[in-house]
Structure formats: structure tokens, C-alpha cells
Amino acid sequence: MDTALTPSTVALVGIGRIGIMHARLLAHHDLVGRLVLADADSARASRAADELGCVSSTVDAVFDPSNPLGLDAIVIATATNTHSELLIRAAATGIPTYCEKPIALDLAEARAAQHALEAAGLPHHIGFQRRLDVGYTRAKQLLESGELGELRRVHALTADQYPPADQFIPGSGGIFVDANVHDFDILRWVTGREVVEVYSVGAARGSDAFAAANDVSEAVTVLTFDDGTLGTVHSSRYNGQGYEVRLDLMGTEGTANVGLDNKVPFRSTEDGVEFPPEAPWDDFIERFLPCYERELDHFLRNPVRGLPSICTAADAVEALRIALACKLSREQHRSVRLDEIL
Ligand SMILES: NC(=O)c1ccc[n+]([C@@H]2O[C@H](COP(=O)([O-])OP(=O)(O)OC[C@H]3O[C@@H](n4cnc5c(N)ncnc54)[C@H](O)[C@@H]3O)[C@@H](O)[C@H]2O)c1
């Protein structure tokens, strides 16, 4: 127990796939004194509250500017198409807010949320948990220390072992906005550079729900950064060997690899190579659980106490711009410069 800090009253809105994980982490966090759960599906919120021994409430009570629940913090883990509206409502309450990525599905909504948060001066955090990952942090430090020399190439990859439920796909924003947005955010954070141009291709394989939603299940993007660094970013919804998230940084003096751990879903064809020794990662929750824990802790110790967040709405808007450029590039079969996405 951290005796120097007062425990907070926290509302979590959205108790779906990731929301229930956040609820379990918050319920056991030293800095959470009281946890309130809310969901558009009120029965879902009540069931989770019963499981965790906390209370449930309505969504409207959480975002009521008179703060009838006495909240110190709000966590939003609802479907992506609700993030902008809920962030704008949160800004009107003045209660520090954490919101899952991506900030919105389109740029106008993302900017509206960013401006509302900034105009209200509201401490906030957007959930790009890789910024709290040990491997990505070390890669950033290696690059900043000069040990890798001058960065020339990067390769990032996000691949799910299993596709999401068909009903999740139409509201997800598509593979670039939903999945690769993590790669775009972490590439900006690790390299400190901005992407200036993208070229993306994709293929809708497997479930018909991808093509029906004008989405793809496989994608490859080529990136150019503002310092001339070149990059590739892959993604898949059908990576049969396991859940795979990696980043390779190639510099003139060395390389660094994030995610090349004992559970990376690889199979070597070389004689005598036993790597990796353990069963592959199953999904994002198994792979990133320690990061989600650190991220909530960061939120409770920093934005909730008026201190800066490691990932703001302004950052989330930039990651979304790259994702939207990729989407446009794939749809129009051409390279897209980021200054087209305004
Ligand atoms: N950071 C990560 O690694 C990560 C991983 C998975 C999902 N996410 C993000 O989390 C969000 C939720 O994803 P999910 O997979 O848990 O979705 P989900 O569909 O499983 O759950 C969404 C929940 O939000 C509720 N909801 C929808 N609209 C609402 C509203 N207006 N008010 C209150 N509740 C509402 C739904 O009833 C549901 O319980 C998405 O934005 C997704 O991109 C982030």
C-alpha cells in the first residue's frame, strides 16, 4: 500500500473484452478505494460488479458534470466509435480520464476530442500500452544513447492468432486503425520521428466479414520517416503460430529487437536451433498484461494527480493520421503523404 497517496474513486465505462480485464486490475489496485462499473448493457456491468464486489451505475451518472458519484477518475473502454463523444463529455466533468485506443475512427472526431480535452485542461491518458513495455523502453533508450548508430530501417509487426468476432469488425475502424495504430504510435515514440509517407496493400482472407466491412485481414505497409528512415509494418488476423508483436530497429552501429522473447511464435528450420523454448503467446492480454497493469498505475499516479501522461490525445491523433493514410493508400492503390491527412 502506497501510504503517501489517497486512494481514488474510479469509474470504468465499457465492460467488454478489455474492459473486464481493466476492471479486475482496478479492483485489486492499492490506489483504487472505490470502483464503479458502467456499460450501455447495464446487466453486463451488474454481473461484473457482483463478480468483483464493487458497484455498478449508469453511464449518464459517470459523465454528469455535477459528479454525483464523487469520482476522481474515469476509465473508458467502450467501443471505438464512442470514444470521441465520451471524451468530450469527460472534459465537461473535469475528472481525469483514461481512454482506450484508438481515440476515434475518423480525424474530425479525434480532433474534436483532443480540443475538448485541451480546452478544459483535463489531465488524460490514451491507452497505448506499449509505451509502458520494458522491451520498447529499452529499444528507445538504446537508440537515444547512440548505441545503434544512425537509424536506417525499422520493421514492426502486429499479428493476432485468431480473428476478432465477426460483429467486432465493422466498428473496429479496420486493421490499420484498430491494430497497426499500436505500431504507428510506438514507432513515433521509440524513434522520436514523424512518418511523412506510406504505401499500404492488404488482402481480405478468411471470414467474409472483412471484405463486407471494406477491411482486410492481412496488410503490409512501407513507411518513410522525416529523417529518411525507411520502415515496413505487417499485420494479420490469422497468425496461426501465435500472437506476435515485434519491432526491429536497424542502425549503422547495431540492431535492437523488441518481442524476440522465449514465447515469440517462430519455428526455426536451422539445425540445432531450439529457440524459442516456450509455448507461443496466445493473445494481447497474455502478452501485455504487465503493461496494462503499469499503464493503469501510471494513470492513477500521474494524470489523476494532475501530472503529465506518457500518451496524450495529441499523440493519439498523430497515430490515427498514419493509420488513416494507410487506409487511403490501400483503397486507392497509391502512396499517401501524411500532409494529405488534415
Ligand atoms: N490497448 C489494447 O491493446 C486494446 C485491446 C483490445 C481492445 N482495445 C480497445 O478497447 C475498446 C473496446 O474493445 P473491446 O474489444 O473490449 O470491445 P467489446 O465490444 O468487447 O466491448 C465494448 C463494451 O463497450 C460497451 N459500450 C459500447 N458503447 C457504449 C457506450 N456508449 N456507453 C457505455 N458502454 C458502451 C459495450 O456494451 C461493451 O460491453 C476498443 O476501442 C478497442 O480498440 C484496446
Side-chain angles (χ1 to χ4, degrees), residues 16-18 39-40 44 78 80 83 100-101 129 182 292:
R17 224 166 29 134
I18 198 155
D39 195 289
R44 185 176 282 193
T78 55
T80 301
H83 291 178
E100 264 306 333
K101 54 54 66 178
Q129 80 280 357
H182 280 291
Y292 296 126

Side-chain angles (χ1 to χ4, degrees), residues 99-138:
C99 182
E100 264 306 333
K101 54 54 66 178
I103 185 168
L105 293 175
D106 71 48
L107 198 54
E109 288 197 347
R111 286 232 158 93
Q114 178 194 351
H115 293 152
L117 293 166
E118 289 174 355
L122 190 76
H124 63 274
H125 173 82
I126 308 295
F128 282 107
Q129 80 280 357
R130 294 184 195 179
R131 292 185 181 219
L132 283 299
D133 181 74
V134 172
Y136 284 104
T137 305
R138 276 200 200 112

Side-chain angles (χ1 to χ4, degrees), residues 229-273:
T229 299
L230 302 177
T232 44
V233 179
H234 287 207
S235 53
S236 174
R237 300 296 198 181
Y238 291 95
N239 197 54
Q241 179 100 13
Y243 178 70
E244 185 172 4
V245 168
R246 289 193 299 109
L247 172 67
D248 302 333
L249 301 176
M250 278 72 68
T252 51
E253 303 292 327
T255 66
N257 311 86
V258 181
L260 209 54
D261 56 30
N262 287 337
K263 290 172 75 66
V264 66
F266 276 179
R267 182 182 296 153
S268 172
T269 59
E270 301 302 333
D271 277 344
V273 176

Side-chain angles (χ1 to χ4, degrees), residues 13-20 22 38-41 44 59 63 76-83 85-86 98 100-102 127-129 168 172 177-178 182 243 284 288 292 295:
V13 185
I15 322 293
R17 224 166 29 134
I18 198 155
I20 189 67
H22 285 320
D39 195 289
D41 178 347
R44 185 176 282 193
V59 175
F63 294 101
I76 299 171
T78 55
T80 301
N81 66 348
T82 66
H83 291 178
E85 182 210 328
L86 295 181
Y98 173 132
E100 264 306 333
K101 54 54 66 178
F128 282 107
Q129 80 280 357
F168 177 84
S172 70
V177 169
D178 181 55
H182 280 291
Y243 178 70
F284 60 88
F288 284 115
Y292 296 126
E295 196 174 26

